[in-house]
Structure formats: structure tokens, C-alpha cells
Amino acid sequence: MERIQKLISRAGAASRREAERMILAGRVTLNGVAVTELGVQADAADEIAIDGVAININQAKRYFLLNKPKGYLSTVKDDRGRKTVVDLLPEVTEYIYPIGRLDYDTEGLLLLTNDGDLMNGLLHPRYEINKIYLAKVYGKVQPDQLKVLRSGVNLEDGLTAPAAVRLMDYNEQADWSKVKITIHEGRNRQVRRMFAAVGHEVMALKRIGFAGLTLTGVPRGNYRELTVDEVAKLKEIAGKPGKQYE
Ligand code: URA
């Protein structure tokens, strides 16, 4: 037996958070009876429906790697009708959602899946998943600033964890620096805020690596399905599938 919100997310019908909201809004039924509390449990033999439509708990899992361009929201739907990353995978019929977020103006590697267990595992801070970014910033980043970025930056939500940071390029004429930075936290606008805190506004930001995966062979705006081996490796990194991370 498992909580209904977990079964819904496993079925790929919504993320676990969205499922909780749906339950509280009275949109979910268990064997025809409305469920409005979050603690109710069920199993694969039960019929769970959202807005009267039964979900398929054993739906096949799909895993995609997207090279997100700027100008797309990392959500499934936007109330204001803006483009979302899901619009970039029009052939995919399953209800997939992004694993984590890239800002509207950030480009690069984003995974999408309907596997709620893997998503929750990869997002849990305990697993310290590496995220590698290339940041182009105004001005010349000085060695002492690189040191601060490496050892921890004091942001309003606390000190950042140690990061790997390397100055890749400095363009003297245009006065910008390119810096490769690897972090494993996933705070809101973290890289932009880290650079701002040491006095360098980010001009452009691209995620080039996530959990050992790269953008190789995937041009901007395109995507590919992960291989069986890649999925197996992600599951290994994210702990045992099916484990609770609450
Ligand atoms: N850090 C940011 O500032 N933005 C992102 O999109 C990702 C990491």
C-alpha cells in the first residue's frame, strides 16, 4: 500500500506536489469515493481517478534529455499561456514533467520524465547531484572572487556549499568572463545570485551537465530519449526507486 499522491506521481499523471493539491481540491477518487486527505493509501489493484478519469498506475516510464533554449518556462502548464519546456516535446504523449528547474532565461540540459520516484530521488539534496553550468558574466572575475565562489557565498538563504569553479575565458575587449561552475544544490536562481554576490552580473547561463549527462549530440531546442544504461545509472545515483524521500 502506498499513499495516493505517490501512486498518482508514479503513474505520471502529475507530480507528487500537484497530486497533493488535486487531493485537497477534491478532484481525486479512490474506487469511486472522493479522497480529500493526504494520508490515504491504496495499491495497484485500486481504481484512482482524477476528475473522473482513471489513471494507469503501470504506465511505461519515459526519460528525456532536452537542450532547453531561453524563453521557455520549466513547468508543464502556464496560466498566462507562455511557452513551457513540454511544448518542445510535442510527440511525447505521456504526462512528463521537468526534473528541477532552469530559469526562463537559462538554457541547457533539462531532464523530463513521468517517473515520480526518480524525479524525487534526483531532486533530494541528500544525493548531491552535480550540476555543471557555463556562466558568461560582466567584467573580469578575479582570483579572490573565484575563491569565494568555491568556498561558499553568503546568500540571503544561507551559505552555499563548496563548488568547483574555473575561469575558462576572459574577453578583454568586451570585458566579460566565462566561468564553469559545478554545484550540487538547487536553490532558486542560485548561480545568478552567487555571481551577483561577488559583483558580477550574469549575462548568459547554460547548464552543460547534470548527474553525469551532457548535451553532446543534442542541439538547442532538441531532445533525445535516455538509454536504458543511462536510466539505470540515474536510478543508482538517486537511491533505490520506491524509497520515500519525505
Ligand atoms: N542557477 C540559476 O541562477 N539559474 C538556473 O536556471 C539554474 C541555476
Side-chain angles (χ1 to χ4, degrees):
M1 298 281 272
E2 281 176 300
R3 290 187 179 189
I4 289 186
Q5 58 267 41
K6 189 154 185 217
L7 292 170
I8 291 175
S9 98
R10 176 163 317 144
S15 70
R16 200 183 299 184
R17 274 241 178 93
E18 283 168 333
E20 288 175 356
R21 282 197 286 268
M22 288 172 174
I23 292 170
L24 294 173
R27 295 171 56 192
V28 176
T29 55
L30 172 61
N31 301 321
V33 179
V35 178
T36 51
E37 282 167 23
L38 300 179
V40 178
Q41 301 206 330
D43 64 29
D46 290 306
E47 187 186 271
I48 298 169
I50 300 170
D51 299 330
V53 180
I55 62 166
N56 179 1
I57 293 172
N58 299 312
Q59 181 180 259
K61 299 291 177 266
R62 310 282 307 270
Y63 307 88
F64 301 95
L65 185 159
L66 170 72
N67 187 347
K68 174 194 175 299
K70 286 198 262 183
Y72 285 82
L73 288 172
S74 295
T75 50
V76 177
K77 252 194 199 153
D78 180 46
D79 298 341
R80 288 155 54 190
R82 287 171 297 178
K83 291 180 289 185
T84 78
V85 287
V86 172
D87 295 333
L88 294 162
L89 300 93
E91 297 87 5
V92 179
T93 53
E94 288 86 355
Y95 185 96
I96 52 168
Y97 33 86
I99 299 184
R101 239 161 233 230
L102 290 179
D103 298 334
Y104 189 73
D105 285 330
T106 299
E107 58 178 314
L109 202 164
L110 187 66
L111 297 182
L112 295 104
T113 185
N114 57 353
D115 183 338
D117 286 331
L118 183 71
M119 185 182 80
N120 290 319
L122 287 175
L123 292 181
H124 198 289
R126 184 192 325 172
Y127 295 106
E128 304 197 347
I129 307 293
N130 271 349
K131 297 155 192 143
I132 309 174
Y133 295 88
L134 259 189
K136 185 175 169 187
V137 305
Y138 289 104
K140 184 168 190 184
V141 182
Q142 302 294 333
D144 59 321
Q145 295 170 325
L146 292 171
K147 217 165 134 190
V148 173
L149 291 166
R150 271 185 204 118
S151 56
V153 182
N154 216 343
L155 300 179
E156 57 187 28
D157 49 359
L159 197 67
T160 58
V165 184
R166 204 165 117 202
L167 179 64
M168 307 296 288
D169 195 11
Y170 172 63
N171 184 317
E172 199 167 342
Q173 217 178 0
D175 193 27
W176 53 249
S177 309
K178 250 188 203 160
V179 181
K180 186 168 154 185
I181 177 163
T182 306
I183 61 173
H184 57 72
E185 296 172 294
R187 304 192 212 171
N188 192 27
R189 299 180 74 81
Q190 179 164 345
V191 174
R192 291 175 197 274
R193 290 193 293 134
M194 287 172 79
F195 278 99
V198 296
H200 294 277
E201 195 191 331
V202 169
M203 302 165 70
L205 186 61
K206 179 174 187 172
R207 181 151 77 187
I208 57 169
F210 181 90
L213 296 164
T214 71
L215 288 168
T216 305
V218 186
R220 184 182 293 137
N222 287 52
Y223 68 92
R224 70 172 175 87
E225 194 143 15
L226 294 185
T227 66
V228 172
D229 286 350
E230 287 170 334
V231 173
K233 189 150 174 258
L234 287 179
K235 287 183 177 170
E236 200 180 294
I237 295 173
K240 297 239 177 316
K243 215 159 136 186
Q244 287 277 346
Y245 300 110
E246 287 175 343

